[in-house]
């Protein structure tokens, strides 16, 4: 019954020709485009420089399929986690991460995830569907607004480290990035955007060829084949040598260093042999290593290794001339940290009445 077109799935050219077909002058397309993508207005009724009759006509033919924030949680460290209820009732999460110098939006690219990394909470959900470019874009504009409202600061960075594997939703992720970086979109510099992938060699090469000038992060976690396959089953189909050569290709094409994300787990990858394998792997790729803190997920078998094990990694990497950072986790008191995004927001068919419900998590909440 609902034969309306999602207007935000149309390019400016497509929009122009649809409007022409409706007997409207082409310049209306540009006005509409500006309302939707620069002003972030999602209601035809609010597009005040369009004639009322046109607004009416538009709402007969098109809709916007916008989601809404079903829940907004504030962590004691300032992190904000949003549960975004999409137009079809599915829920994804996005996170605002504030530091002294940055405000980062961590966004989702899929509902659920098709991969099943054994340490990740999102992996417990089946992949339900890909997000559309406008659903990705909306996560960014929401956080941009929250940055303004709660911190009076601009959004400075975007990371595709929320739910889903961005390289398995390639066209929509690329079109969201285009919109975010476009002069007639949010005009953000592409180098402020980091796409994080579990490592799909074919898609890394494709991305390298596109010259989008964004940054690339790869979730590595082990450079020992059998071990990495146990942690990340995608490694069976996309083995380390292929990943390595795709990343070398990435560097040749873009001149941009890869960031490896790496968690050190007790009894899993905390030996000298693990460090040696990592050094060997990274030696052939201009890169840096980000040692990230593990965020425990309920009932999971993994445990963050102790400080000494992480220090051992850090020192050996530094000795070998590899840049390394040790990242403290943010927002884990509200399950907003990496790998904790599992949509614990239960009420998937939530009523509008709870829209914009802000929930502050008390400081003394412990897990
Ligand atoms: N699918 C993409 C992006 C989503 S995951 C990817 O694999 O990169 C974002 C980052 O969080 C990845 O580096 C992932 O390995 C890491 N991660 C997943 N679960 C985690 C957890 N429980 N604790 C810490 N990091 C985790």
């Amino acid at each position: 019954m609902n034969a309306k077109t999602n207007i935000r799935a149309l390019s400016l050219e497509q929009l122009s020709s649809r409007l022409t077909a409706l007997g409207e002058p082409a310049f209306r397309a540009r006005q509409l485009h500006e309302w939707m993508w620069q002003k972030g207005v999602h209601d035809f009724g609010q597009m005040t420089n369009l004639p009322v009759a046109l607004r009416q006509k538009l709402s007969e033919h098109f809709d916007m399929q916008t989601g809404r924030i079903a829940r907004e949680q504030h962590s004691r460290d300032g992190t904000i986690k949003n549960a975004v209820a999409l137009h079809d009732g599915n829920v994804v999460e996005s996170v605002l991460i504030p530091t002294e110098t940055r405000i980062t939006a961590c966004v989702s690219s899929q509902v659920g995830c098709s991969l099943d990394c054994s340490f990740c909470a999102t992996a417990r959900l089946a992949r339900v569907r890909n997000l559309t470019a406008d659903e990705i874009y909306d996560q960014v504009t929401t956080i941009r607004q929250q940055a303004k409202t709660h911190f009076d600061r601009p959004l400075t960075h975007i990371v595709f480290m929320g739910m889903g594997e961005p390289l398995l939703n390639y066209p929509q992720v690329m079109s969201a990035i285009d919109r975010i970086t476009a002069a007639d979109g949010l005009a953000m510099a592409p180098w402020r955007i980091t796409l994080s992938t579990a490592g799909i060699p074919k898609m890394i090469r494709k991305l390298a060829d596109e010259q989008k000038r964004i940054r690339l992060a790869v979730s590595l976690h082990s450079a020992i084949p059998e071990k990495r396959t146990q942690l990340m089953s995608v490694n069976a189909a996309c083995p380390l040598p292929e990943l390595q050569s795709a990343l070398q290709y990435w560097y040749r094409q873009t001149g941009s260093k890869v960031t490896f994300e790496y968690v050190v787990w007790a009894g899993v990858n905390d030996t000298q042999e693990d460090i040696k394998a990592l050094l060997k792997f990274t030696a052939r790729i201009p890169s840096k290593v980000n040692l990230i803190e593990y965020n425990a997920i309920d009932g999971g078998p993994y445990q963050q290794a102790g400080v000494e094990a992480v220090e051992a990694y850090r020192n050996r990497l530094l000795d070998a001339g590899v840049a390394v950072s040790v990242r403290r986790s943010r927002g884990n008191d509200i399950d907003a940290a990496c790998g904790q995004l599992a949509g614990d927001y239960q009420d998937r068919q939530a009523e509008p009445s709870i829209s914009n419900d802000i929930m502050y998590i008390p400081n003394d909440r412990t897990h």
Side-chain angles (χ1 to χ4, degrees):
M1 198 192 106
N2 186 0
K4 290 183 187 179
T5 307
N6 175 11
I7 193 165
R8 295 189 306 153
L10 303 176
S11 66
L12 183 56
E13 295 70 38
Q14 290 168 327
L15 188 57
S16 293
S17 56
R18 287 291 296 267
L19 288 181
T20 315
L22 290 173
E24 295 292 334
F27 73 89
R28 294 290 182 209
R30 172 139 304 279
Q31 287 178 314
L32 252 166
H33 199 261
E34 197 177 307
W35 280 112
M36 293 188 297
W37 298 113
Q38 276 172 283
K39 300 190 179 133
V41 168
H42 293 161
D43 176 357
F44 296 119
Q46 289 173 20
M47 301 184 173
T48 47
N49 61 356
L50 304 182
V52 176
L54 173 58
R55 292 186 234 166
Q56 179 61 34
K57 204 193 278 185
L58 288 169
S59 54
E60 283 160 17
H61 290 86
F62 303 102
D63 62 22
M64 297 255 188
Q65 304 194 340
T66 39
R68 62 189 175 76
I69 302 185
R71 186 168 73 176
E72 180 180 322
Q73 289 171 278
H74 291 238
S75 158
R76 58 185 153 228
D77 67 18
T79 302
I80 302 174
K81 178 166 92 164
N82 300 307
V84 183
L86 304 170
H87 71 95
D88 62 358
N90 280 303
V91 177
V92 291
E93 292 170 336
S94 68
V95 186
L96 177 155
I97 307 153
T99 66
E100 263 173 35
T101 53
R102 298 175 170 202
I103 295 212
T104 302
C106 174
V107 298
S108 295
S109 54
Q110 298 179 314
V111 179
C113 190
S114 34
L115 304 180
D116 67 5
C117 302
S118 57
F119 49 84
C120 179
T122 308
R124 296 175 173 189
L125 310 169
R127 188 199 76 111
V128 178
R129 69 169 173 87
N130 286 331
L131 293 186
T132 59
D134 45 288
E135 286 169 334
I136 297 169
Y137 184 85
D138 287 349
Q139 294 174 59
V140 174
T141 52
T142 295
I143 291 180
R144 196 165 171 254
Q145 189 53 50
Q146 289 173 328
K148 213 184 257 174
T149 307
H150 298 286
F151 299 89
D152 196 21
R153 281 161 55 189
L155 174 67
T156 60
H157 292 79
I158 298 170
V159 294
F160 282 85
M161 296 186 188
M163 301 163 93
E165 169 50 50
L167 291 187
L168 294 179
N169 181 17
Y170 193 86
Q172 298 299 322
V173 167
M174 290 306 120
S175 127
I177 289 173
D178 289 344
R179 191 66 73 219
I180 291 162
T181 53
D184 63 357
L186 299 183
M188 276 184 79
W191 55 266
R192 293 177 180 275
I193 302 175
T194 300
L195 185 150
S196 176
T197 176
I200 321 282
K202 197 171 139 201
M203 303 313 285
I204 291 172
R205 287 172 185 271
K206 190 170 159 74
L207 184 61
D209 288 336
E210 303 235 18
Q211 298 290 350
K212 295 243 182 246
R213 313 203 71 79
I214 62 169
R215 307 227 189 249
L216 182 66
V218 174
S219 305
L220 191 62
H221 304 307
S222 176
I224 298 174
E226 314 74 58
K227 221 175 251 194
R228 188 165 190 267
T229 303
Q230 269 174 20
L231 293 164
M232 305 176 69
S233 62
V234 65
N235 191 66
C238 304
L240 285 166
E242 278 178 35
L243 178 59
Q244 190 174 51
S245 92
L247 293 174
Q248 286 164 336
Y249 182 78
W250 164 268
Y251 186 74
R252 282 202 302 279
Q253 292 295 95
T254 66
S256 168
K257 282 190 181 178
V258 174
T259 300
F260 289 113
E261 296 159 285
Y262 201 103
V263 174
V264 189
W265 288 284
V268 174
N269 57 355
D270 56 355
T271 68
Q272 289 297 324
E273 192 200 344
D274 292 289
I275 302 181
K276 237 187 252 164
L278 175 62
L279 284 173
K280 198 167 160 215
F281 188 80
T282 54
R284 301 188 194 133
I285 305 161
S287 55
K288 49 195 171 195
V289 174
N290 199 350
L291 296 172
I292 59 184
E293 198 180 324
Y294 182 56
N295 302 301
I297 56 175
D298 282 349
Y302 296 102
Q303 266 186 350
Q304 164 74 42
V307 184
E308 319 76 55
V310 177
E311 287 287 293
Y313 263 95
R314 200 186 65 159
N315 296 338
R316 288 285 301 275
L317 286 162
L318 288 177
D319 285 348
V322 181
V324 49
S325 58
V326 179
R327 191 171 79 195
R328 262 198 43 241
S329 192
R330 308 284 312 234
N332 49 6
D333 56 332
I334 53 169
D335 282 351
C338 286
Q340 289 186 313
L341 303 183
D344 67 340
Y345 179 74
Q346 286 303 318
D347 189 3
R348 283 164 191 257
Q349 305 299 326
E351 305 102 50
S353 60
I354 55 157
S355 168
N356 299 325
D357 184 15
I358 299 186
M359 188 156 115
Y360 285 89
I361 300 302
N363 282 342
D364 59 1
R365 175 172 161 177
T366 48
H367 274 285

